[in-house]
C-alpha cells in the first residue's frame, strides 16, 4: 500500500480544489488499471462498480457553495485520493502477479472494497449531515473569529465533532469522541443544543465498536444524553436498547455501570420499559442486582422498579426470579437507594397479582419489609408493599412478626404517603375483634384521628375509614371519645363538597359517638347540623338518622333551659 510518506510535505500544502483535481485525475487511471486485471475477477468487478460511482460523489461535493472552505471536504478528498492510489497499486500487482500469496491478496482486495464503500458513504454523509458551510478551514476560521460570536464558533466546532463521528476510519472517530466527551464535561447544555438525530445514530453505532475504550466513551456520552428529555425518544427510536443491554452483559465495569444508568433513565417511559423486557434486558439487570457494584446495583434496581410499574411486564419479571432478588436487596443492598427501589418494585409486583403476593410472603418478604421500616424515616413503598401482603397472612403471624409497632412508628414518623399506606394496612388487618383491640392498645387511634387533618383528601379518607372500622369495638370507641380532636376533625369531614370522599366514614364515626351527650353538644357547636342537612339531601347513608339525633338533643336542651 502507498502511504505517501515521501510526499507529505508537498501534499499538506494543497488546497481543497487541488485535492479535488488530484482525485478526479486518479479515477480514470484507477479504472483503466482495474479493468486490465485478469485474476480475482469477482472481487475486481465489485471494485470497478464502486469506482464508477466516485465521480458523481466528487461532483456532489464540489458543487456545494462552501466546498473550498470546508475542512471535512478537504480531508475527505485526501482519503479518496489515498484509496484510489491503493487501487492503482493493487491492480498493478495483480496484473504483474507480483503478490505474496493468493489469500493475502484476496484479503487486501476485500479491504480495498471496504475503503471504497467508506469513501462513498462518507462523501454522501457530508452532504446529508448539513455540515458543509458550517465547518471551515482553520485559516478561514481564524480570519473570521474577530467577527463571529463565540457561541456560534463553539456550535460550529461541536457540529464538526459530531460530523466526524459519522465519517472516516475508527481512529478518527476515536479522536472525535475524546473531544466530544471533553466538550460535554465543559458545557453539556451547549452540546445538547446542536446534536441531531443522525448524530445520535452514529453514537449508537459506536456502542458496538471493536475497541472497548470507544465503547466506554460512547456509552458515557449516551448516558448523559439519556438524562435529556430532548434526546430520549431519538435514542430509543435509533435502536440504543439492544447495544446497552449487551454492554450490561459483557462490557467492562465502566461500560456496565454507564449502560445501566442510561437504561434507568430511559425506563421511565412505559413503552421503553416494555421494550427492555422484549430485548432480553431483565436477566442482566437481575444479575447486576445480585453481584454488581453499589452504583450499578442501585441503577439496575431502579430500572427494574420502573419496568415493574408496567403491569404486563410483571409475569416476565417473576419468571426471572425477581421477587427473591428484590427481597435479598432489601436485606443486603449496599446503598439505601437500592433498598428503596427494591421496596418500590415489591410494591408494584404485589399490587394486584395474588401469585406474586404469595411468592413474596413465602420468600420472607414481610419480615424483610418490617425490618426495613425500623429506620428513622420509614418509606411509603415498603408500607405499601406490606399493605398488599397482610390480607393473605394470619393475624397471629402478623402480630408475632411485630407488625403493629412498625405501623405505629410509620404513623408517628413517616411521610403523609407512608401514613396513608399504614392506615390502609390497618383497614385490611382489622377483620376481627381481637385484631381491632390489639390496634387500639398499640396506640394507633390518636395518630389516625390527627391524620384526619391532613391536606390530602385521600389521607383523610383512609384515616376516617380506619377509625370507623376500629370504633365498632366499644373499647376503641371510648378511646376516640377521649381524644379532644376527634369530634372537631370528624365534623370537618362532613363537608358536603364532591372532592370530600371521607364524609360517609365521618357520619359513621359520629353516629357511634352520638350516644354521648357531651359529644352531641360538641358536634352541634362545630356546625354538624348544617352539614348533615346538606348530606341528608344528598342521601349520604346515616346522615338523616344522625341529624335527627342531634336535633332532638338540641330541642331537649332548649326545653330544659326554659
Amino acid at each position: 500500500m502507498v502511504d505517501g510518506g515521501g510526499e507529505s510535505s508537498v501534499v499538506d500544502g494543497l488546497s481543497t480544489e487541488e485535492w479535488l483535481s488530484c482525485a478526479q485525475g486518479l479515477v480514470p487511471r484507477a479504472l483503466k488499471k482495474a479493468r486490465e486485471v485478469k485474476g480475482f475477477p469477482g472481487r475486481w468487478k465489485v471494485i470497478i462498480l464502486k469506482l464508477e460511482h466516485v465521480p458523481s460523489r466528487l461532483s456532489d461535493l464540489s458543487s456545494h457553495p462552501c466546498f473550498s472552505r470546508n475542512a471535512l471536504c478537504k480531508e475527505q478528498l485526501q482519503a479518496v485520493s489515498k484509496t484510489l492510489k491503493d487501487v492503482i497499486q493493487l491492480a498493478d500487482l495483480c496484473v504483474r502477479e507480483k503478490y505474496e500469496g493468493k489469500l493475502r491478496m484476496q484479503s487486501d482486495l476485500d479491504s480495498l472494497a471496504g475503503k471504497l464503500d467508506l469513501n462513498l458513504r462518507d462523501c454522501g454523509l457530508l452532504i446529508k449531515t448539513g455540515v458543509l458551510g458550517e465547518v471551515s478551514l482553520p485559516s478561514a476560521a481564524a480570519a473570521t473569529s474577530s467577527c463571529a460570536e463565540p457561541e456560534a464558533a463553539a456550535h460550529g466546532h461541536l457540529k464538526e465533532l459530531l460530523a466526524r463521528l459519522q465519517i472516516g476510519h475508527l481512529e478518527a472517530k476515536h479522536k472525535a469522541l475524546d473531544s466530544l466527551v471533553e466538550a460535554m464535561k465543559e458545557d453539556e447544555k451547549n452540546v445538547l443544543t446542536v446534536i441531531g438525530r443522525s448524530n445520535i445514530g452514529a453514537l449508537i453505532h459506536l456502542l458496538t465498536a471493536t475497541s472497548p475504550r470507544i465503547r466506554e466513551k460512547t456509552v458515557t456520552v449516551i448516558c448523559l444524553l439519556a438524562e435529556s428529555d430532548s434526546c430520549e425518544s431519538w435514542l430509543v427510536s435509533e435502536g440504543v436498547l439492544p447495544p446497552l443491554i449487551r454492554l450490561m452483559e459483557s462490557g467492562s465495569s465502566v461500560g456496565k455501570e454507564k449502560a445501566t444508568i442510561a437504561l434507568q433513565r430511559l425506563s421511565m417511559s412505559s413503552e421503553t420499559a416494555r421494550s427492555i423486557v422484549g430485548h432480553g434486558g431483565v436477566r442482566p439487570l437481575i444479575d447486576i442486582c445480585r453481584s454488581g457494584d453499589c452504583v450499578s446495583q442501585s441503577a439496575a434496581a431502579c430500572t427494574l422498579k420502573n419496568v415493574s410499574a408496567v403491569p404486563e411486564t410483571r409475569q416476565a419479571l417473576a419468571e426471572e426470579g425477581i421477587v427473591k432478588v428484590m427481597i435479598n436487596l432489601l436485606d443486603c443492598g449496599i446503598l439505601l437507594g437500592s433498598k428503596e427501589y427494591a421496596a418500590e418494585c415489591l410494591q408494584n409486583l404485589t399490587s394486584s397479582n395474588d401469585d406474586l403476593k404469595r411468592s413474596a410472603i413465602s420468600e420472607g418478604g414481610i419480615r424483610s419489609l418490617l425490618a426495613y421500616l425500623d429506620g428513622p424515616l420509614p418509606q411509603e413503598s415498603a408500607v405499601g408493599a406490606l399493605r398488599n401482603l397482610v390480607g393473605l397472612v394470619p393475624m397471629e403471624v402478623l402480630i408475632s412478626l411485630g407488625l403493629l409497632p412498625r405501623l405505629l412508628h410509620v404513623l408517628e414518623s413517616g411521610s403523609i404517603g407512608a401514613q396513608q399506606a399504614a392506615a390502609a394496612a390497618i383497614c385490611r388487618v382489622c377483620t376481627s375483634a381481637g385484631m381491632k383491640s390489639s390496634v387500639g392498645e398499640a396506640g394507633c387511634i390518636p395518630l389516625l384521628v390527627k391524620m384526619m387533618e391532613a391536606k390530602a383528601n385521600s389521607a383523610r379518607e383512609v384515616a376516617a375509614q380506619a377509625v370507623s372500622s376500629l370504633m365498632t369495638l366499644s373499647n376503641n370507641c371510648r378511646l376516640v371519645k377521649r381524644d379532644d380532636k376527634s369530634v372537631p376533625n370528624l365534623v370537618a369531614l362532613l363537608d358536603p363538597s364532591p372532592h370530600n370522599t371521607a364524609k360517609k366514614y365521618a357520619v359513621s364515626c359520629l353516629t357511634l359517638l352520638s350516644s354521648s351527650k357531651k359529644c352531641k353538644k360538641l358536634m352541634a357547636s362545630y356546625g354538624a347540623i348544617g352539614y348533615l342537612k346538606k348530606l341528608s339531601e344528598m342521601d349520604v347513608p346515616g346522615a338523616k338518622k344522625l341529624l335527627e339525633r342531634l336535633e332532638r338533643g338540641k330541642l331537649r336542651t332548649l326545653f330544659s333551659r326554659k
Side-chain angles (χ1 to χ4, degrees):
M1 297 279 181
V2 175
D3 61 9
E7 303 173 5
S8 60
S9 60
V10 177
V11 299
D12 284 347
L14 295 181
S15 66
T16 307
E17 288 84 354
E18 287 170 329
W19 275 111
L20 174 65
S21 178
C22 176
Q24 288 173 330
L26 286 169
V27 173
R29 287 175 55 196
L31 275 170
K32 181 176 181 295
K33 202 71 179 176
R35 287 168 178 153
E36 292 175 1
V37 179
K38 302 301 180 185
F40 312 101
R43 284 176 168 81
W44 277 106
K45 183 178 180 180
V46 170
I47 291 170
I48 289 167
L49 286 172
K50 295 181 189 302
L51 285 171
E52 289 170 346
H53 286 94
V54 172
S56 63
R57 292 301 170 91
L58 295 179
S59 176
D60 290 339
L61 283 181
S62 61
S63 63
H64 195 280
C66 297
F67 163 74
S68 61
R69 295 186 289 107
N70 194 279
L72 292 175
C73 251
K74 181 177 179 179
E75 291 174 20
Q76 189 55 39
L77 290 169
Q78 289 172 333
V80 171
S81 298
K82 173 69 167 60
T83 303
L84 292 171
K85 288 178 182 178
D86 289 345
V87 172
I88 294 168
Q89 181 191 32
L90 284 181
D92 185 60
L93 290 175
C94 286
V95 168
R96 294 187 294 114
E97 296 186 358
K98 297 289 186 182
Y99 45 84
E100 294 180 11
K102 197 171 183 180
L103 291 177
R104 172 67 180 273
M105 179 53 71
Q106 287 175 343
S107 175
D108 286 346
L109 292 174
D110 289 338
S111 175
L112 181 61
K115 287 181 182 179
L116 280 167
D117 257 338
L118 186 64
N119 291 156
L120 292 169
R121 187 186 72 94
D122 288 353
C123 285
L125 281 172
L126 273 177
I127 304 289
K128 184 180 176 183
T129 56
V131 297
L132 289 180
E134 295 172 344
V135 186
S136 55
L137 290 167
S139 57
T144 58
S145 61
S146 59
C147 305
E149 292 290 332
E151 185 176 346
H155 281 194
H157 173 65
L158 286 171
K159 287 179 179 179
E160 177 180 349
L161 287 180
L162 292 167
R164 288 179 184 278
L165 294 176
Q166 300 181 65
I167 64 173
H169 296 285
L170 200 59
E171 187 58 34
K173 293 175 181 177
H174 197 163
K175 291 177 181 177
L177 196 55
D178 283 337
S179 300
L180 183 60
V181 171
E182 289 304 313
M184 291 200 77
K185 287 178 182 177
E186 291 174 10
D187 191 350
E188 180 183 332
K189 186 178 179 181
N190 199 22
V191 175
L192 292 175
T193 59
V194 298
I195 202 159
R197 186 168 189 157
S198 62
N199 307 127
I200 297 269
L203 278 167
I204 291 170
H205 183 69
L206 290 176
L207 285 174
T208 57
T210 54
S211 166
R213 288 181 60 231
I214 285 188
R215 293 198 299 269
E216 283 184 9
K217 290 172 185 175
T218 304
V219 77
T220 299
V221 176
I222 294 286
C223 187
L224 293 171
L225 294 176
E227 295 175 1
S228 165
D229 292 335
S230 60
C231 296
E232 182 182 348
S233 60
W234 282 347
L235 285 167
V236 176
S237 63
E238 290 296 314
V240 78
L241 296 181
L244 285 179
I245 290 168
R246 299 295 83 78
L247 273 176
M248 282 199 306
E249 290 176 320
S250 56
S252 64
S253 58
V254 173
K256 285 182 179 181
E257 179 183 306
K258 297 298 183 183
T260 310
I261 293 172
L263 284 172
Q264 174 185 350
R265 177 64 182 82
L266 295 172
S267 64
M268 292 175 68
S269 156
S270 57
E271 185 176 344
T272 304
R274 293 187 194 95
S275 296
I276 289 171
V277 176
H279 286 295
V282 174
R283 183 175 291 278
L285 285 166
I286 284 179
D287 288 342
I288 290 173
C289 283
R290 287 191 177 111
S291 58
D293 62 73
C294 57
V295 176
S296 298
Q297 186 184 75
S298 179
C302 184
T303 306
L304 288 168
K305 179 265 295 185
N306 292 341
V307 172
S308 70
V310 183
E312 55 266 40
T313 68
R314 290 170 190 162
Q315 187 56 44
L317 293 171
E319 290 170 0
E320 295 290 350
I322 193 171
V323 172
K324 186 174 183 177
V325 171
M326 290 298 111
I327 291 172
N328 184 64
L329 202 56
L330 201 59
D331 293 332
C332 310
I334 303 169
L335 297 179
L336 191 60
S338 300
K339 293 173 177 279
E340 186 176 341
Y341 295 139
E344 286 187 71
C345 188
L346 288 170
Q347 180 184 16
N348 291 337
L349 293 169
T350 59
S351 61
S352 58
N353 188 310
D354 282 349
D355 288 338
L356 287 174
K357 290 179 185 179
R358 282 187 281 270
S359 176
I361 292 167
S362 66
E363 295 288 353
I366 289 183
R367 188 184 300 276
S368 297
L369 288 164
L370 290 171
Y372 177 56
L373 288 177
D374 285 334
L377 295 172
Q379 298 297 314
E380 178 183 351
S381 53
V383 192
L386 268 177
R387 175 199 59 210
N388 297 340
L389 299 176
V390 290
L392 297 178
V393 182
M395 295 303 105
E396 59 272 15
V397 173
L398 292 174
I399 292 175
S400 68
L401 289 172
L403 173 68
L404 296 183
R406 269 55 172 257
L407 292 179
L408 182 68
H409 173 51
V410 173
L411 290 173
E412 289 174 330
S413 308
S415 65
I416 190 62
Q419 292 175 14
Q420 186 174 327
I426 288 171
C427 291
R428 293 193 182 186
V429 298
C430 286
T431 56
S432 66
M435 195 62 179
K436 290 178 183 181
S437 177
S438 296
V439 171
E441 291 169 1
C444 294
I445 288 176
L447 297 169
L448 290 168
V449 170
K450 183 181 179 182
M451 191 174 159
M452 294 179 196
E453 301 170 2
K455 291 182 180 179
N457 173 67
S458 55
R460 296 194 301 268
E461 179 184 9
V462 73
Q465 182 184 1
V467 171
S468 173
S469 174
L470 291 166
M471 283 182 68
T472 57
L473 197 68
S474 58
N475 286 342
N476 290 339
C477 193
R478 281 193 288 272
L479 291 173
V480 176
K481 283 180 185 177
R482 290 176 196 161
D483 194 313
D484 293 339
K485 293 184 177 181
S486 60
V487 171
N489 286 355
L490 286 165
V491 170
L493 294 183
L494 294 175
D495 181 359
S497 61
H499 74 273
N500 174 31
T501 54
K503 45 186 173 280
K504 62 180 179 180
Y505 299 115
V507 170
S508 173
C509 292
L510 289 170
T511 299
L512 291 168
L513 292 175
S514 65
S515 59
S516 163
K517 291 182 181 180
K518 178 183 176 182
C519 288
K520 282 196 288 187
K521 288 180 182 178
L522 282 171
M523 291 178 209
S525 68
Y526 281 106
I529 290 174
Y531 282 140
L532 288 168
K533 285 179 180 178
K534 293 179 181 178
L535 295 183
S536 297
E537 294 171 1
M538 296 165 63
D539 292 326
V540 173
K544 188 174 182 180
K545 183 179 179 181
L546 179 57
L547 175 62
E548 290 171 355
R549 283 190 185 184
L550 295 186
E551 287 183 326
R552 281 200 303 270
K554 189 176 181 182
L555 286 172
R556 289 196 193 101
T557 302
L558 289 172
F559 287 135
S560 65
R561 285 177 182 173
K562 291 179 179 180

